[in-house]
Amino acid sequence: PTSIQSANCNVAYGCIPGNKTSQADAIRAYIQSLLKSKYKTWIRVPKELWPDLWHKKGYKRPMCRLVRALYGHPESGGHWERHLTEAVLAAGAVAVPGHPSSFWFAKEHMLLTVYVDELLLSGPAHAH
């Protein structure tokens, strides 16, 4: 994960005249990524999430294979981080050496720093 120093560098970059900083949460972050675990994980589905058909069939405790990196699974954080990194790099960013989870978009002069599902973006105000 990123460090407080990296986040502070991002905010400092946003304080340069003409720049600004934006913050956002990644929506439903973990479940955007697949759970690519070595071992299969099965979960019990809470009754309030059952489709009508399951109630009609008289199911007691149906189980489903977990295919998304659901928050709380011990491997989910790593799968989410890998998924986000791949997406950011595919969007044209490069990783900032020595600053984990920080990315530079050269064309836009934008700096992105990520802490779990918090996104901090700094750079020219017109580029936001």
Side-chain angles (χ1 to χ4, degrees):
T2 195
S3 65
I4 191 65
Q5 291 86 353
S6 295
N8 285 342
C9 288
N10 189 305
V11 172
Y13 182 56
C15 290
I16 293 173
N19 284 3
K20 75 175 194 174
T21 299
S22 299
Q23 182 276 332
D25 294 339
I27 298 170
R28 297 185 183 114
Y30 283 69
I31 60 172
Q32 291 182 31
S33 58
L34 294 173
L35 183 63
K36 299 175 183 175
S37 183
K38 182 177 177 182
Y39 302 101
K40 293 178 182 177
T41 300
W42 294 84
I43 60 168
R44 189 175 113 190
V45 181
K47 257 189 174 171
E48 59 270 14
L49 299 177
W50 293 9
D52 290 337
L53 179 63
W54 289 8
H55 292 282
K56 292 175 186 170
K57 288 195 172 201
Y59 291 160
K60 300 282 186 237
R61 294 196 293 180
M63 304 291 283
C64 291
R65 181 153 176 234
L66 186 62
V67 295
R68 296 281 174 177
L70 189 64
Y71 182 80
H73 188 283
E75 296 178 15
S76 288
H79 293 292
W80 158 245
E81 182 180 1
R82 200 168 15 264
H83 171 78
L84 179 66
T85 298
E86 289 171 3
V88 170
L89 296 176
V94 294
V96 177
H99 292 270
S101 299
S102 288
F103 305 91
W104 177 249
F105 291 88
K107 182 180 170 192
E108 298 84 1
H109 300 278
M110 301 293 276
L111 178 62
L112 175 67
T113 302
V114 181
Y115 180 75
V116 186
D117 62 348
E118 302 287 326
L119 310 172
L120 194 60
L121 183 69
S122 293
H126 67 83
H128 282 250

